[in-house]
Amino acid sequence: MRRHRSTARTKQGSIAAALGWLLIAALAGTCAGAEASFLDIGEQQDVVASDREPWTIQADTLSYDAKAKAYLAEGNVFISSGDRSIKADWARLDSVEQRAELAGNVTLRFGRDWLQGEHVIWNLDTETGWVDGGTVYFSESGFYVRGKNITKTGPSQYELQEGIITSCNPDDPDWTIRTRDLRVKVGGRGVAKHSSFWAGPIPLFYTPFAVFPVNRERQSGFLFPTLGSSSLNGFGVEVPYYWAIRQDMDATFTAHYMEERGIMAGMEYRIRHPKWGQGIWMVHYLDDQADKSHLRDEGYPFEQSDRYWVRGSHTFALPHEIEGFLSLDVVSDRNFLKEFERGSVGFDETNDVLRRFSGREILNDKSVLSRESSLYLVRRNDNQLMSFDTRYWDNLDRSKDERTLQQLPRIAYDITPTHPMLSPFYYSLESAGVHYWRPEGDKGTRFDMLPRIYYPVHLWPYLVLEPSMGIRTTLYSVDWDDSDHSPTKARVLPDVVLELSSRMERVYAFNRWNITAVQHVVRPEFQYEWIPDEDQDDLPEFDRIDRIGNRHALRYGFSTFLISKRMIRDANNEPAAHYLELGRLRVTQAFKLDRSSDDDLLQTEAGKRFSNVDFELDLTPGSWLNLSYDVSVSPYDYSTTRHDLALGLRDSRNNALNLSYRYREDMDLDEIISGVHLAIRPNLFIYTYHDYSFDQKEMFEESYGVYYQHGCWGIRMGYKEEDEDREFMLAFTLLGLGQVGTGYVSGFGFSPAGNP
């Protein structure tokens, strides 16, 4: 065997490769710290795909056997091609067969995945081979697979005999799946035969067949079931199946068995398509087998056997820059949302899913019997908006359904304040045509138009006066429930508004907390409004626009806010100014110039001229604090008629406090809601939730829980009490596999494990 002290790096199939081969064959020598492009040496053929880089080799000692056409490398062997690399203590590389025999601390990397072993036989062309006593890591799922011997049968297929699967440290795993035979497809799933689940050294259960994901991306397959029990529905289990239809759409199917009710079928369909839009649709159906007397004893009289709930939210784009928003909410009967409150069919679970996917929720609360569905189309430009709005209310109180008014449809055209050329005036327009329909009762069409003209005047540098006048014209074509009225009606209603405002500001230098300056702004505001007293009793009453009360009043107040300036780095790493509103306070009040004014918007006490004083405070100095507080105070006895408080605190250790308080004097509403999340240790958390009514002296809901996370597994325990229900929950989380657990409710319904 000849040795040389040169380095060769050639391109496959080139004349330089052939010359390099002749040179190596002719010369002898020894190479220390050598490097070679070995796959390019030998017969002139395509041994590597054209879109992959050639393999190169480096080692402390590198020699070449010309007769066998093989390299022998020893010490710090490193073989690489693009994002593929091999490390070993010793290697023999057959340049004809593209076959490598590797020994000693062998590590093969393909992107972020890797394989380790002491003795490896590997084909560099097909990326297949055999590993004696090895470990494979799949980066997409975080799984480690270790076996007595591992065979890679294709670019993304592995077979393993007598091994383990875990997402923990494979040298000291907290949990493992031990299997006799395993087949894995990267980016797909693993199929294990004769498997057992172990918690540390303790076996917990055995299964002859198991499937698990080897990719965090979407994959079809069964998800973990949820279990529960209730006095209303009996023992229950819900089994979901996930279908990854394609990259832009998927679906989840559920079969929910309830001992007292039968099987409820469910489907949740999701789509994100550049042409068809983004939407989520859910449907549940049950052929109810409940005992009627049992339902009556539980407080839910039997209404029908066919029980269903269809709901959804979809956003899409149409030609000519038209945006579309579709919402659907159709329920079979008035008790459905009360009887089925847990699992994928639950109202709260539905709202959580809709909020995460589309940022929208069900239009009406679950206690509202009139369920609302809508289709809204809108086209916007700089100062104009055109919209088409259709709304349908399904009244679950069937005695009133025939008289429920439907908006089919509403077409609107609005112009924001616009300044025409060569004119000191501004103008705006609000206009809409609505068709109202119902089987019984007054119905018809209304066209309403409100043009407005503004004339802003700058009196001094800090004072702006803006008078405006509008004339509302309303036309009706009515199909009356009786024949005593004319089918056509009209109304003309002028209004005058006079606004006076100012803006005073000052900038202060500030060199703390990375803030360079703070701007303080004070904005006093004054407004005069007049609407005449117009008799409207002969008009139909479809909505609030049909009854506009007379108004002769003053509104006044001020707002003040602080804005901080910080210097940050933009996407190009250039210095840029960043502005943040730290806090805002707004104080307003109204005064009736005409005591007889019946405008409900002024919100004055009966026979009084002054309205309550409204205070609105918002503080957002950073991500750690969010405070909003609105309060309304009577100017006569200084009592408060309204409170709205929302407080959020959070730190970098994931400690959090959420507190809200609501009070309405006219609604007998006086309640406080609190939620606390505390990090006792970096991996141990506790949480609580309380909803208490001061007015009724009753705790509506309370829950407590603890969550422990240890590397690749976690455990969650919780307790929830709502009305007469008592719920206990225990769930385990295994990294890479998901969550499994059970819950028990003394009352009705059950909650999916992990949703305290």
Side-chain angles (χ1 to χ4, degrees):
M1 180 181 292
R2 299 182 180 181
R3 301 181 183 271
H4 62 91
R5 307 185 65 84
S6 62
T7 297
R9 181 187 291 272
T10 62
K11 291 188 176 180
Q12 174 187 343
S14 66
I15 297 176
L19 294 176
W21 161 242
L22 294 174
L23 180 62
I24 293 173
L27 299 178
T30 302
C31 177
E35 179 178 326
S37 179
F38 64 90
L39 287 186
D40 298 331
I41 300 174
E43 298 180 9
Q44 301 301 299
Q45 56 181 331
D46 261 343
V47 293
V48 179
S50 60
D51 60 342
R52 304 299 292 267
E53 297 181 21
W55 287 93
T56 61
I57 180 172
Q58 302 176 50
D60 292 341
T61 302
L62 180 63
S63 60
Y64 182 72
D65 187 338
K67 183 178 180 180
K69 297 183 180 179
Y71 280 94
L72 182 64
E74 296 183 72
N76 297 315
V77 179
F78 183 71
I79 308 167
S80 63
S81 170
D83 63 350
R84 303 172 295 171
S85 66
I86 302 173
K87 292 182 179 180
D89 294 337
W90 177 91
R92 184 181 184 280
L93 308 172
D94 188 323
S95 62
V96 177
E97 299 293 335
Q98 308 291 306
R99 182 174 178 271
E101 182 178 358
L102 308 153
N105 300 310
V106 181
T107 300
L108 295 87
R109 291 188 178 274
F110 298 85
R112 294 185 300 162
D113 297 345
W114 52 259
L115 183 152
Q116 291 181 341
E118 284 300 313
H119 184 208
V120 177
I121 305 296
W122 206 254
N123 188 296
L124 299 171
D125 182 20
T126 61
E127 296 184 7
T128 59
W130 175 84
V131 183
D132 185 9
T135 302
V136 183
Y137 174 69
F138 302 103
S139 60
E140 287 296 322
S141 62
F143 276 121
Y144 297 90
V145 175
R146 173 172 289 181
K148 183 177 180 181
N149 55 70
I150 300 174
T151 304
K152 191 168 186 288
T153 58
S156 58
Q157 290 86 27
Y158 290 85
E159 294 182 1
L160 176 145
Q161 302 294 325
E162 298 183 22
I164 66 168
I165 309 161
T166 185
S167 59
C168 309
N169 179 356
D171 295 326
D172 185 23
D174 293 317
W175 67 266
T176 57
I177 297 175
R178 301 188 182 185
T179 178
R180 185 186 303 173
D181 180 78
L182 173 68
R183 285 172 172 79
V184 176
K185 180 177 176 59
V186 180
R189 65 182 65 186
V191 179
K193 297 180 180 178
H194 301 291
S195 304
S196 55
F197 181 84
W198 293 61
I202 303 172
L204 297 182
F205 62 84
Y206 164 85
T207 177
F209 181 81
V211 179
F212 64 95
V214 193
N215 192 337
R216 284 190 179 139
E217 296 181 359
R218 305 171 310 130
Q219 297 180 63
S220 300
F222 285 98
L223 306 178
F224 278 111
T226 55
L227 310 175
S229 177
S230 72
S231 60
L232 178 64
N233 300 324
F235 170 78
V237 55
E238 183 175 72
V239 180
Y241 178 83
Y242 177 77
W243 181 23
I245 304 173
R246 59 191 214 187
Q247 283 298 109
D248 54 12
M249 63 181 67
D250 55 29
T252 302
F253 300 91
T254 57
H256 184 177
Y257 168 76
M258 293 171 285
E259 183 181 13
E260 301 290 340
R261 314 302 288 267
I263 297 178
M264 177 183 289
M267 183 193 72
E268 179 180 312
Y269 171 76
R270 296 162 293 270
I271 178 174
R272 293 183 186 270
H273 191 276
K275 183 177 180 180
W276 300 336
Q278 170 182 310
I280 180 168
W281 298 91
M282 290 172 277
V283 57
H284 282 81
Y285 173 81
L286 170 68
D287 181 9
D288 201 346
Q289 307 297 313
D291 182 84
K292 297 180 181 179
S293 60
H294 175 67
L295 280 183
R296 185 174 58 252
D297 293 341
E298 293 290 335
Y300 301 101
F302 181 84
E303 295 199 15
Q304 61 186 67
S305 297
D306 290 329
R307 315 291 299 278
Y308 57 84
W309 186 20
V310 182
R311 62 274 194 211
S313 174
H314 200 99
T315 303
F316 54 92
L318 296 176
H320 307 293
E321 300 179 343
I322 297 175
E323 301 172 74
F325 305 89
L326 179 61
S327 296
L328 186 66
D329 181 10
V330 180
V331 188
S332 60
D333 56 85
R334 63 166 61 196
N335 289 330
F336 186 97
L337 300 181
K338 300 176 183 178
E339 294 181 39
F340 307 106
E341 288 195 323
R342 303 291 188 265
S344 62
V345 72
F347 184 88
D348 293 336
E349 175 69 14
T350 293
N351 263 344
D352 287 342
V353 172
L354 288 174
R355 187 167 50 247
R356 289 195 302 267
F357 187 86
S358 65
R360 292 184 284 164
E361 297 183 351
I362 297 294
L363 295 175
N364 286 333
D365 185 76
K366 62 182 176 181
S367 62
V368 178
L369 291 181
S370 186
R371 311 309 303 173
E372 180 179 354
S373 300
S374 69
L375 170 63
Y376 181 66
L377 305 178
V378 60
R379 186 182 189 277
R380 302 179 177 92
N381 60 19
D382 293 340
N383 64 336
Q384 300 177 57
L385 183 147
M386 297 182 65
S387 64
F388 175 95
D389 189 5
T390 297
R391 293 183 183 269
Y392 181 83
W393 287 270
D394 180 23
N395 199 323
L396 301 181
D397 183 352
R398 300 309 180 190
S399 64
K400 301 179 180 179
D401 193 35
E402 296 296 307
R403 301 188 66 84
T404 300
L405 200 63
Q406 310 296 347
Q407 177 182 297
L408 304 170
R410 178 181 185 270
I411 301 175
Y413 174 64
D414 297 334
I415 302 176
T416 59
T418 302
H419 185 202
M421 296 181 63
L422 305 176
S423 171
F425 296 96
Y426 286 77
Y427 69 91
S428 68
L429 175 67
E430 297 176 19
S431 64
V434 192
H435 177 67
Y436 290 103
W437 179 87
R438 55 186 163 188
E440 298 179 5
D442 300 336
K443 47 186 172 288
T445 302
R446 181 188 71 204
F447 177 74
D448 184 74
M449 181 172 63
L450 177 59
R452 180 175 295 279
I453 296 178
Y454 308 80
Y455 182 65
V457 179
H458 292 266
L459 300 177
W460 288 284
Y462 296 102
L463 192 62
V464 178
L465 177 68
E466 184 179 85
S468 67
M469 185 179 74
I471 299 179
R472 181 184 293 272
T473 303
T474 312
L475 304 175
Y476 296 88
S477 176
V478 186
D479 181 4
W480 297 96
D481 200 28
D482 55 55
S483 58
D484 296 337
H485 300 80
S486 170
T488 59
K489 295 289 183 179
R491 175 187 65 184
V492 177
L493 200 61
D495 72 83
V496 174
V497 177
L498 181 67
E499 295 183 358
L500 185 66
S501 64
S502 180
R503 179 184 173 98
M504 295 169 285
E505 59 185 57
R506 184 172 180 179
V507 177
Y508 299 89
F510 198 87
N511 291 311
R512 280 188 171 183
W513 307 312
N514 200 31
I515 298 176
T516 59
V518 174
Q519 181 188 45
H520 180 213
V521 179
V522 179
R523 181 181 171 85
E525 299 170 296
F526 175 88
Q527 185 181 75
Y528 167 79
E529 297 177 273
W530 174 78
I531 299 176
D533 189 5
E534 181 77 17
D535 184 10
Q536 302 165 66
D537 292 339
D538 63 336
L539 302 178
E541 193 169 358
F542 296 135
D543 57 33
R544 63 180 181 84
I545 290 181
D546 300 311
R547 296 293 186 271
I548 298 177
N550 64 308
R551 183 182 306 172
H552 194 204
L554 300 174
R555 295 177 184 271
Y556 45 87
F558 71 93
S559 58
T560 178
F561 44 93
L562 295 172
I563 300 176
S564 68
K565 176 183 177 182
R566 290 182 171 90
M567 297 305 297
I568 62 172
R569 294 283 180 177
D570 61 14
N572 298 321
N573 202 31
E574 297 292 333
H578 177 261
Y579 298 94
L580 174 67
E581 185 177 287
L582 303 176
R584 176 185 292 266
L585 172 65
R586 179 179 171 86
V587 182
T588 57
Q589 190 184 32
F591 175 74
K592 285 184 177 181
L593 296 172
D594 183 355
R595 191 187 298 269
S596 65
S597 174
D598 59 356
D599 186 1
D600 293 336
L601 297 178
L602 294 179
Q603 297 181 343
T604 61
E605 298 179 28
K608 304 293 185 180
R609 288 183 179 269
F610 286 98
S611 73
N612 289 349
V613 182
D614 293 329
F615 297 86
E616 302 174 13
L617 175 66
D618 293 286
L619 296 177
T620 53
S623 59
W624 59 275
L625 172 64
N626 191 314
L627 172 65
S628 175
Y629 181 52
D630 299 344
V631 61
S632 186
V633 181
S634 170
Y636 298 102
D637 58 7
Y638 305 108
S639 62
T640 55
T641 60
R642 175 177 58 88
H643 285 283
D644 281 302
L645 170 68
L647 171 66
L649 292 170
R650 181 179 297 274
D651 67 9
S652 58
R653 297 181 62 246
N654 209 19
N655 292 302
L657 167 66
N658 292 297
L659 182 69
S660 64
Y661 173 70
R662 294 185 298 170
Y663 170 77
R664 297 290 187 278
E665 185 181 50
D666 58 344
M667 297 176 57
D668 295 329
L669 177 64
D670 189 9
E671 69 174 4
I672 186 170
I673 301 174
S674 67
V676 178
H677 186 277
L678 295 178
I680 305 302
R681 296 182 61 84
N683 56 351
L684 178 63
F685 308 92
I686 62 173
Y687 53 87
T688 65
Y689 176 87
H690 293 85
D691 183 354
Y692 180 78
S693 171
F694 294 102
D695 179 65
Q696 301 185 29
K697 296 181 175 57
E698 180 183 352
M699 184 74 73
F700 290 146
E701 181 181 339
E702 58 182 311
S703 62
Y704 310 89
V706 58
Y707 179 67
Y708 177 74
Q709 179 70 45
H710 182 79
C712 58
W713 66 276
I715 182 172
R716 186 194 300 267
M717 295 179 289
Y719 168 79
K720 179 179 179 180
E721 184 174 325
E722 182 178 4
D723 296 329
E724 299 300 322
D725 298 341
R726 305 291 186 272
E727 179 180 342
F728 301 90
M729 184 270 296
L730 174 65
F732 294 92
T733 302
L734 303 178
L735 182 63
L737 290 181
Q739 182 169 272
V740 62
T742 61
Y744 173 80
V745 182
S746 174
F748 60 88
F750 66 87
S751 172
N755 291 337

